[in-house]
Every structure is written in C-alpha cells, then in structure tokens.
Amino acid sequence: MQRWSGLTADEMRLLETTFWSAGGSRHGMAEQLGYSRSKANAMIAGLLDQGLLAEAGLQASSGGRRAENLQINGTLGVLVGVDIGATSLDLALLRPDLTPLVQHAEPADVRQGPGVVLARVRCLLRELLGRQGLGADQVMGIGIGVPGPVNFGIGQLVNPPLMPAWDGFSIRDCLREDYAAPVFVDNDVNLMALGELWRLKRSLSNFLVIKVGTGIGCGIVCHGEVYRGAAGSAGDVGHICVDQEGPRCHCGNLGCVEVMAAGPAITRMAVQAVEAGESAMLAECLRDKGRIDAIDVGHAGRAGDAAANAIIQRAGSLLGQMLASVVNFFNPSHVFIGGGVTHIGPLFLAAVRQSVYQRSLALSTRHLEIQYTPLGAQAGLIGAGVLAMQETLKVRGVAP
Amino acid sequence: MQRWSGLTADEMRLLETTFWSAGGSRHGMAEQLGYSRSKANAMIAGLLDQGLLAEAGLQASSGGRRAENLQINGTLGVLVGVDIGATSLDLALLRPDLTPLVQHAEPADVRQGPGVVLARVRCLLRELLGRQGLGADQVMGIGIGVPGPVNFGIGQLVNPPLMPAWDGFSIRDCLREDYAAPVFVDNDVNLMALGELWRLKRSLSNFLVIKVGTGIGCGIVCHGEVYRGAAGSAGDVGHICVDQEGPRCHCGNLGCVEVMAAGPAITRMAVQAVEAGESAMLAECLRDKGRIDAIDVGHAGRAGDAAANAIIQRAGSLLGQMLASVVNFFNPSHVFIGGGVTHIGPLFLAAVRQSVYQRSLALSTRHLEIQYTPLGAQAGLIGAGVLAMQETLKVRGVAP
C-alpha cells in the first residue's frame, strides 16, 4: 500500500472521480474536475507511472492513439464486501472496478452476536482469499453492511433493535486483527443505496432504496450523496405507523409498517389463511416444508391462489401507504425496492405502486418511478465494495 | 450594477462566503475557502477597492491594525423580500447584511390570483422604495415566497392546491416590468428554512422547518443546503395521513394532517365546542368577533378553558404524529415550528413534542430539539432576502 503515500489532494480527487465514472474518458474527467486538459493529462501520466491508474479498453492499434478510458489499477489489490443480514451472510472479493472475483452466501442468525458471526466472517474471508491465492496484505479496504443503525464515524451499531448484542461492539477492531486495510461499517440499506448510486454513475441525485426483509429500512440519496441523518438513523421507516389500531411492534408502538408488511407479517398472514381454511396451496406448503415464507406466498399467488394474492395485495398496499408519506416529504425521482420480499414478484410491486399513486400528491408522483432494485440481491455487496473503495481513497488521501 | 461584471469564480465564492459568514474574519474565510492567507488578502483588497466588500466593526485605533471583519458593501443597493402567504402579504427592503430597512404587512387573499396580488406587491414596493428615497435601479435582487410548490429553476408555481389561478404564471416576468434586478421565487417554507440556515451561519446541516398556518408545509435542510426534491414538491407533509377514517381533505384523501390540525381545523373544532356548549369563553369570542381563530383558542387555553386546551392538545398531538414519521425517516437534529399556529403558545409545542417522543424511535429523538422558529414571523422575509442575495451572487458570477 506504499504506493498511496504522498499523493496530493488533487490526485486523490482524480482517483475518486475515476472510480465513480467507471471507465471515464480523460477529457470527461478533466471537465468534471474543472482542470485544464494539460493539468489533467500531467496528473494522469504521474498516476499511471505510479501504477495507481490503468488504461482500460485499449483500442487495437489505431495508429498509436492514446487510450481514452481510465480505471483504478486492477493490480492494486482487492476489496472485501460483507453484507450481514438478519438471517443471511454474504461475502465477496471485488476488483477495484467492483467486478466480483468470488463470492459466497449462507444463512446466518445475527442474534447469535458479533463473536459468533464475525468469527465466521473471518474464517470465510481467509478461505476466499486462499482460494484466489491472495494474501491478507492484498486487501485494500473492507466494507461491511449490518442490519441496524450505525454511527458511521466510529463504525459501530447504536441501539440495534434486531441485534442488541452488537450495541457498541467494535467490528473494526475485530477485523483489524487479520487485516491492515481500513474497515468501514454502514447500515445495510445505506450500502444498497450507495451501490445503486455507483451503478447510476451518480446520474440521479435524489432517490430512495427500500429494503423489505425481516425488517423494513430505507437508504436515502440526497444531493447526490448517501444521507445518514443527524444520529445515523435516517431511513428508519419500519416504525412509521400505518394503522393506529394495528398489532404491537417490538418497538412498543402499534401498527408499525414493519410488523404489518415485512417478511414475518407475510408468514403470519399465510399461516392464518391456512388456519382459516382459505388456501389449500399454502396449507400444502406448510405441511410439506413445516413453514411458509414470502417466496412461497409468491409462488401460490402466481399459481392463482386467491388467499395468497390477497396477502400480497395487503402487504404491498401497507408498504405503499408508508411510502406515500415518505414520497410526499422527500419527493424522490425514483424508489427502488429490494430485499427478500421482492422475490414475491410483480403483484407486490403493483400493489405498492397503486397505493403510493393513490395517496401521494400528484406533483410528487408525476415523474416518480417505483421499481425493484436493478442490482437485485447484489446491491448490498456492491455497495459494501463501493464503501470500501471510496472511503479507502479518502483515508489514504489524508497526508500522513 | 456594473461593479459586478468581470469577477472571477474565486471572487464570487469569496463574496458568497462573506455573505454567509456575516461579519466573518479574513482568516476564517481564507480557511473555509482553502486559500492561502496571501491569496485571500489579495482578493479581499481587490474587492474592497471595487466597493463590493466593506470592512465591518472597525476597531477604534489599535495602532493601525487592519479590521478583521468583512461584509458585503452596504452601499451596493437593497434586497427586496416578499412573503406571500395564503391570507397575508409581507414585504421588506433589506440591506445586503439582511438588516431590514423598512417593512410592511397586511392581510391578503392569495386566491384572488396573481393579477390582483402582484399589482398590490408592485404598488407597495414603489411606496417603500420611495419612502427610503431609493430608485428601482438600487434594487440588487428580489426574493419571493409563495404558499405552494415551485419549480425553482423557472420560478413558477406548479399545481398549487391553495391557489390554482397561479399555476404556471410567471411572477418573474411581471416584476421585470419594474426592475432590472433578478427575481427568484421559492416555496414559503423553503424560504423559512433558508432564513434559519442563514441565521445559524450553516452551523446545522440537517434540520426541518414546519409551517402551520392555513396549510402545513415543511422546509428541508439536508447536507447544509435547502432540499427541494425531484419536482420541487419536497416537504409537502400536509397530506400525510394521520387518521385513515378522518375527514376528507381538499386533496381528495381522508385524514390528512392538514385537514385535521392546521388553522382552519382548529377553528372548526372551536366552533364545534361552542355548539356543544363546552366552552363559555370560546362562545363569547365567537359572539363578539363573529369568528374564532387559533390565537383565540390559545388565549382561552391560557385562561384555563378546558375545551380550548383539549383542542390545542389534539392539534399538537396530530401534528406530532405526522412529525414522528418524518423524524423516523429523516433523523434531523432540529425541528423548528413556525406559522400562525405558533401564537397558540407553549401548550401546543408541548403536545407536539410529547407525540413525537412517544412515536419516534429512541435513536432519532435522543438529541432531537423541537422548538418554535427562532426568527419567528420574520423567517420567511429574511429567507426571501437570503434567496435574493445568494442567487444574485450566483447569477452575477456567471461570465457574460
């Protein structure tokens, strides 16, 4: 990592712009940064010499013309992305341009606490690196997403409702035992938003990413940057009330959207439908598998089960009701919905849209797009990689 | 205005920073801008020579020491601030440091349309300028707040629910007939937020300003800038649902917070209390004045009228319920409440706070401050002045 030292603030800005523009041309970057072509070219030449930048997509001999596109040098090292969900664990090694080298997913239970979960993360990372023939010193930066509110400055969870044992635990210190690379921790939905922002090359400035899984959370992009709020809890939309006489949530209040429309609520409604004798298909599923999840309800719905479709409609409509408030307040250009519940299929999305368009003001929804996250299940891991690269550039850019 | 021409981008940045730091020291400004002391001093000397900057608070002869504090030169001209409310019209002429030279307020009815209201604005401005012995050419910039969603780029109202006749009307063109100065139009609550941001010298980055009057709106400051949303309708919180079985709102939906907790709702609840024989004090007020407004309900409440206090409690609690959703989503550090309803007094604020603290997540409210707008009724006019100055600097800074 010695190569990073001694860079000027302008050089770091150029590296960051290269990373975000993903194969941007020299000319475009000079323009973005407000540098003259000659200043930009001199800086680029220096960074190519130092092996920090590389030329991408070299055109086959067109008379010695200089390659136009640049990227962060792929030989600098790898980024580690970790996405810790409430019930899942995803890891990836990524190139500096965020191409995944290798990745791994397995079920997990975050409530087992940081000791158990992070021991597994460390073990899996050693395996993945080993499989690629890479050493710990080739890791440039580590980005980790967790399913709870994070104090981003210190990289610690604060009062996480789903994972109390993690409160104030230093994930950074734990991983520092294995790696010299910097470790950055953020809320999982913020990372999904960061991943989509990177995919979009910052072409959208104001959008939301909603994750619906065990809980419901929201990543916010405002003025072209991820917005984390005054205390790091921005986007905590799961506890917005959608029915003052609804069931009690683990937060203590009644009728939170999370307790009424997230994964466990869909399971609960499905079990109730079975108990009421309303769905032979869901009853069969419960008998065969011993449980029903949102994906099963989606299958039953697509196969024409009326009870399953009513559940999907209700969950989508409640989510849309919460979103309508958020859309009135924030007036985003796009809302991307991700998380396990998206496997339900298009009916869920249709119910969300209908509910938002009905409840939000016409001006807020006139150009509003509501769709599933384009990066799909990868959004969190890609976001973790973006975090690792972006923040590493910032940290390395600080004069020693 | 010739003095503005030929300035560099760096000089414009320095003028803008001077305006926002309101009497900032040379050293502090150089630091903020990332300039060396010598570069900053040379630029400042040039701008002093051109009469764009002036030295403020000159220290009485301390051995020839250079005055440390700078401001935009007060002799450059005046700013015009106009705050068009649903039922009121406020105008002010302000110095470049936003000290009001003269101001005027009168009742108005925005539904009379732009022809009537803007004719009155033009007439009043001529009067105010005349009274100060100023000509139209001494107006540097004009900022106007209106009670509806604005497409900020073109300065026009879009689909304003309270004032349909204003839809797409060009306020700019209308005022250009009298003034060569640039005209900027924004939503009234955005201007209150801008006013508070200026008062705070940008020391807070993420806060909200809620206006409760005839309607309910919200100004959003995010990452240190006013946030207007993808279509200019951000902060349209009046139509967030607080009771799915509540009364029908003019927007077509049921139980919007605006139809249940804004000024007209408070009047309606007061009249109902009179009709039900629940309040002798409010009955007397209705008999004497022929009407009851929020201020009357506040008076009755402070005099111990139980029905009045129940109304205040209910309106504050409903507003707090809406705010709880917004606080969960946005996690602001401060919420400032302004508008006519604030004249009700401390009981209303206490009810809002109680409702927010009960419904929002602990992490979002741990350091949250909820208070009445420190600039009070001036927030909108000051904000209009800030808009006029800030945007004029931007416009003038563009090379001809």
Side-chain angles (χ1 to χ4, degrees):
Chain A
M1 292 299 121
Q2 274 68 16
R3 282 193 273 188
W4 296 105
S5 58
L7 294 181
T8 65
D10 278 351
E11 286 170 326
M12 293 312 297
R13 277 185 67 208
L14 195 139
L15 288 174
E16 227 182 305
T17 306
T18 306
F19 170 65
W20 275 93
S21 55
S25 74
R26 288 156 187 268
H27 177 52
M29 275 192 293
E31 228 169 43
Q32 259 190 66
L33 290 161
Y35 299 158
S36 67
R37 277 202 194 210
S38 60
K39 176 175 177 182
N41 280 332
M43 272 169 58
I44 289 167
L47 293 168
L48 285 166
D49 276 353
Q50 291 171 73
L52 291 165
L53 283 183
E55 288 168 312
L58 259 169
Q59 310 203 336
S61 119
S62 55
R65 202 150 72 78
R66 199 171 51 191
E68 258 301 296
N69 293 329
L70 296 166
Q71 60 185 27
I72 304 285
N73 192 337
T75 67
L76 271 174
V78 291
L79 301 167
V80 169
V82 181
D83 188 5
I84 301 175
T87 60
S88 62
L89 179 57
D90 285 82
L91 298 100
L93 303 182
L94 306 127
R95 288 208 182 89
D97 67 356
L98 298 191
T99 323
L101 279 171
V102 58
Q103 63 188 88
H104 173 86
E106 63 179 42
D109 183 354
V110 81
R111 290 167 305 179
Q112 290 184 302
V116 174
V117 175
L118 292 176
R120 183 70 189 144
V121 167
R122 290 166 70 177
C123 168
L124 285 167
L125 280 182
R126 268 194 303 272
E127 264 181 55
L128 291 181
L129 285 165
R131 233 194 283 167
Q132 298 292 312
L134 294 165
D137 60 337
Q138 276 160 294
V139 173
M140 299 164 72
I142 301 173
I144 302 183
V146 288
V150 170
N151 179 327
F152 185 71
I154 57 170
Q156 289 182 8
L157 282 135
V158 191
N159 274 13
L162 295 172
M163 46 203 292
W166 294 69
D167 193 14
F169 182 88
S170 177
I171 299 172
R172 279 186 187 173
D173 287 350
C174 178
L175 282 155
R176 266 191 200 134
E177 291 181 28
D178 296 343
Y179 303 98
V183 180
F184 307 97
V185 183
D186 203 352
N187 174 267
D188 56 352
V189 200
N190 289 348
L191 290 188
M192 291 169 71
L194 190 62
E196 295 292 346
L197 187 64
W198 180 83
R199 177 189 66 81
L200 291 158
K201 301 199 198 322
R202 285 208 164 107
S203 59
L204 299 179
S205 300
N206 308 300
F207 65 86
L208 304 178
V209 174
I210 303 281
K211 181 180 184 182
V212 187
T214 309
I216 296 179
C218 177
I220 305 170
V221 171
C222 183
H223 292 143
E225 301 282 344
V226 172
Y227 171 71
R228 298 184 174 91
S233 75
D236 221 333
V237 298
H239 301 281
I240 289 180
C241 177
V242 289
D243 183 355
Q244 286 148 282
E245 278 142 38
R248 189 167 297 278
C249 178
H250 61 83
C251 78
N253 283 312
L254 296 179
C256 296
V257 67
E258 183 164 304
V259 76
M260 296 187 71
I266 292 172
T267 293
R268 197 181 57 238
M269 288 190 273
V271 171
Q272 282 164 358
V274 170
E275 286 167 356
E278 289 166 4
S279 167
M281 223 177 279
L282 292 174
E284 197 188 315
C285 171
L286 184 59
R287 206 171 43 237
D288 292 353
K289 293 177 49 182
R291 58 179 183 80
I292 312 178
D293 61 23
I295 299 176
D296 303 319
V297 177
H299 279 306
R302 279 196 296 279
D305 187 89
N309 281 328
I311 292 168
I312 295 168
Q313 182 70 43
R314 176 157 169 77
S317 174
L318 287 165
L319 184 70
Q321 197 179 314
M322 176 278 282
L323 266 179
S325 299
V326 162
V327 163
N328 275 346
F329 173 78
F330 191 69
N331 183 208
S333 68
H334 291 67
V335 175
F336 299 113
I337 300 177
V341 168
T342 60
H343 297 299
I344 289 179
L347 180 62
F348 182 75
L349 190 59
V352 172
R353 283 186 180 138
Q354 190 189 10
S355 179
V356 173
Y357 288 119
Q358 189 186 318
R359 263 293 355 163
S360 291
L361 291 177
L363 185 58
S364 303
T365 55
R366 196 187 288 169
H367 302 291
L368 175 68
E369 299 262 357
I370 304 177
Q371 47 189 260
Y372 284 143
T373 41
L375 286 175
Q378 294 289 84
L381 274 182
I382 297 287
V386 177
L387 182 76
M389 188 75 228
Q390 172 181 274
E391 298 300 318
T392 296
L393 284 173
K394 280 189 195 153
V395 172
R396 298 291 181 201
V398 177
Chain B
M1 291 299 122
Q2 274 67 16
R3 281 193 273 187
W4 296 105
S5 58
L7 293 180
T8 65
D10 278 351
E11 285 170 328
M12 292 313 297
R13 278 186 67 208
L14 195 141
L15 288 175
E16 228 184 303
T17 306
T18 307
F19 170 64
W20 276 92
S21 56
S25 74
R26 289 157 187 266
H27 177 53
M29 276 193 292
E31 227 169 44
Q32 258 190 68
L33 291 161
Y35 299 157
S36 67
R37 277 203 194 210
S38 59
K39 175 175 176 181
N41 280 334
M43 272 169 57
I44 289 168
L47 293 168
L48 285 167
D49 275 353
Q50 290 170 74
L52 290 164
L53 283 183
E55 288 169 312
L58 260 169
Q59 308 203 337
S61 119
S62 55
R65 202 150 73 78
R66 198 171 52 191
E68 259 300 297
N69 292 330
L70 296 166
Q71 59 186 29
I72 305 285
N73 192 336
T75 66
L76 272 175
V78 292
L79 302 166
V80 168
V82 180
D83 187 4
I84 301 175
T87 60
S88 61
L89 179 57
D90 286 82
L91 298 99
L93 303 182
L94 306 127
R95 289 208 180 89
D97 67 356
L98 298 190
T99 322
L101 278 170
V102 57
Q103 63 188 89
H104 173 86
E106 63 180 41
D109 184 353
V110 81
R111 290 168 306 178
Q112 291 184 302
V116 175
V117 174
L118 292 177
R120 183 71 189 143
V121 167
R122 289 166 71 177
C123 167
L124 285 168
L125 281 183
R126 268 194 302 273
E127 264 180 56
L128 291 181
L129 285 165
R131 232 194 284 167
Q132 298 292 313
L134 295 165
D137 60 336
Q138 277 160 294
V139 173
M140 301 164 70
I142 301 174
I144 302 184
V146 289
V150 170
N151 179 327
F152 185 71
I154 57 170
Q156 289 182 9
L157 282 136
V158 191
N159 274 12
L162 294 172
M163 45 202 295
W166 294 69
D167 192 13
F169 182 88
S170 178
I171 299 173
R172 278 186 188 173
D173 287 351
C174 177
L175 283 156
R176 266 190 199 136
E177 292 182 28
D178 297 343
Y179 303 98
V183 180
F184 307 97
V185 183
D186 202 352
N187 173 266
D188 56 351
V189 200
N190 289 349
L191 291 188
M192 291 169 70
L194 190 62
E196 295 293 346
L197 187 63
W198 180 84
R199 177 188 67 81
L200 290 159
K201 300 199 199 322
R202 285 209 164 107
S203 59
L204 299 179
S205 300
N206 308 301
F207 66 86
L208 304 177
V209 174
I210 303 282
K211 181 179 184 183
V212 188
T214 308
I216 296 179
C218 176
I220 304 170
V221 171
C222 183
H223 292 144
E225 301 282 344
V226 172
Y227 171 72
R228 298 183 174 92
S233 75
D236 222 333
V237 297
H239 302 280
I240 289 181
C241 176
V242 289
D243 183 356
Q244 286 147 281
E245 277 142 38
R248 190 167 296 278
C249 178
H250 61 85
C251 78
N253 283 312
L254 298 178
C256 297
V257 67
E258 183 165 304
V259 76
M260 295 188 72
I266 291 172
T267 292
R268 197 181 58 238
M269 288 190 273
V271 170
Q272 282 165 356
V274 170
E275 285 166 357
E278 288 166 6
S279 167
M281 223 177 277
L282 292 174
E284 196 187 315
C285 170
L286 184 59
R287 205 170 45 235
D288 293 353
K289 291 176 51 182
R291 58 181 182 80
I292 312 179
D293 61 21
I295 299 176
D296 302 320
V297 177
H299 278 307
R302 279 197 295 279
D305 186 89
N309 281 329
I311 292 167
I312 295 168
Q313 181 71 42
R314 176 157 169 77
S317 175
L318 287 164
L319 183 71
Q321 198 179 312
M322 177 278 283
L323 266 179
S325 300
V326 163
V327 162
N328 274 347
F329 172 79
F330 192 69
N331 182 208
S333 68
H334 291 67
V335 175
F336 299 113
I337 301 177
V341 167
T342 60
H343 297 298
I344 288 178
L347 180 60
F348 181 74
L349 191 59
V352 173
R353 283 185 180 141
Q354 190 189 9
S355 180
V356 173
Y357 288 119
Q358 188 185 317
R359 256 311 333 175
S360 291
L361 290 176
L363 186 58
S364 303
T365 54
R366 196 186 288 167
H367 302 292
L368 175 68
E369 299 262 356
I370 303 177
Q371 46 188 261
Y372 284 143
T373 42
L375 285 175
Q378 295 289 84
L381 274 182
I382 296 287
V386 176
L387 182 75
M389 188 74 228
Q390 172 182 273
E391 299 299 318
T392 296
L393 284 173
K394 280 188 195 156
V395 172
R396 299 291 180 200
V398 176

